[in-house]
Amino acid sequence: AGSFTYLPATGTVLTAGSQTLTVTFTPTDTTNYTTGTASVTLTVNQAMPLLTCATPAPITYGTPISAATFGCSANVPGTFVYSPPVGTVLTAGQQTLTATFNPTDTADYTAATASVTLTVNRATPTITWPTPAPITYGAPLSVAQLNASSTVAGSLTYSPSAGTILTAGSHTLSVTFTPTDTTDYTTAAATVTLTVNKAAPAIAWATPAAITYGTALSAAQLDATASVAGKFA
């Protein structure tokens, strides 16, 4: 019979590593027994930091990733190393981001990693298409009107197409842009309004031969022709 006194005491939080625990035994019967001591070795393993990483909101292709994109925090002091690095522009699709945490207290904590999935949406190319100057009926559509452009490589398809002769009035011209890089970009469309002015018919009228007073005007003098169907007055 007797009592034990431990060192370190109950409740002590030990640092990681190999630790010696000591106990002193004090017998109730101190007449016949001396105090006694014993020790054991306890291995305290390093702890794994608790990492919390929020699911990032989707971004659009062309947007560089930042530390906020990873959205990671830890329950102990330390620093994060990100992969891919901050500032990287990722291709469109589902991308895995990894954060490695290096604790300040490397004696008691191990490094830890966490991953999140980031959705990178395809970007919509920007189309530049200035409003074309009016044309006159009879003039076919050409590159002067069908002159849209984009900073992204790809092809442009117009409607109506080049060579079309539009009727007079206001017309909407459309273009569809198909990017070469369909992984990172979507197709895009744009419109402009073209004014087609009415054309003036070409009238040909030869100078008539002289007539004598008293001669009534006839088709011999009134013989103008026009480049389009119609009637003369």
Side-chain angles (χ1 to χ4, degrees):
S3 60
F4 290 97
T5 303
Y6 294 97
L7 187 69
T10 300
T12 301
V13 176
L14 301 174
T15 57
S18 182
Q19 303 291 345
T20 299
L21 308 183
T22 302
V23 64
T24 299
F25 177 74
T26 303
T28 303
D29 179 3
T30 57
T31 301
N32 298 309
Y33 293 98
T34 64
T35 58
T37 60
S39 62
V40 292
T41 300
L42 172 66
T43 299
V44 181
N45 293 323
Q46 288 177 302
M48 179 74 70
L50 176 62
L51 304 185
T52 302
C53 295
T55 300
I59 62 173
T60 301
Y61 171 73
T63 304
I65 58 175
S66 64
T69 308
F70 289 81
C72 293
S73 61
N75 64 333
V76 295
T79 57
F80 283 96
V81 176
Y82 300 105
S83 179
V86 168
T88 301
V89 174
L90 301 173
T91 57
Q94 297 292 106
Q95 303 290 348
T96 299
L97 309 182
T98 302
T100 299
F101 178 74
N102 296 312
T104 302
D105 179 2
T106 56
D108 298 322
Y109 293 94
T110 64
T113 60
S115 297
V116 293
T117 300
L118 171 67
T119 298
V120 181
N121 294 322
R122 293 190 295 172
T124 301
T126 299
I127 297 176
T128 302
W129 195 2
T131 300
I135 61 174
T136 301
Y137 171 71
L141 292 177
S142 67
V143 292
Q145 297 80 43
L146 309 180
N147 58 348
S149 62
S150 176
T151 55
V152 176
S155 59
L156 296 160
T157 303
Y158 295 96
S159 178
S161 58
T164 301
I165 296 177
L166 299 174
T167 57
S170 181
H171 293 271
T172 299
L173 308 182
S174 301
V175 65
T176 299
F177 177 75
T178 303
T180 302
D181 178 4
T182 55
T183 299
D184 299 319
Y185 293 97
T186 64
T187 57
T191 60
V192 292
T193 300
L194 172 67
T195 298
V196 181
N197 295 322
K198 291 193 286 185
I203 298 177
W205 194 4
T207 301
I211 60 175
T212 302
Y213 171 73
T215 303
L217 291 176
S218 68
Q221 295 81 37
L222 311 182
D223 60 349
T225 60
S227 57
V228 297
K231 61 182 182 180
F232 291 97

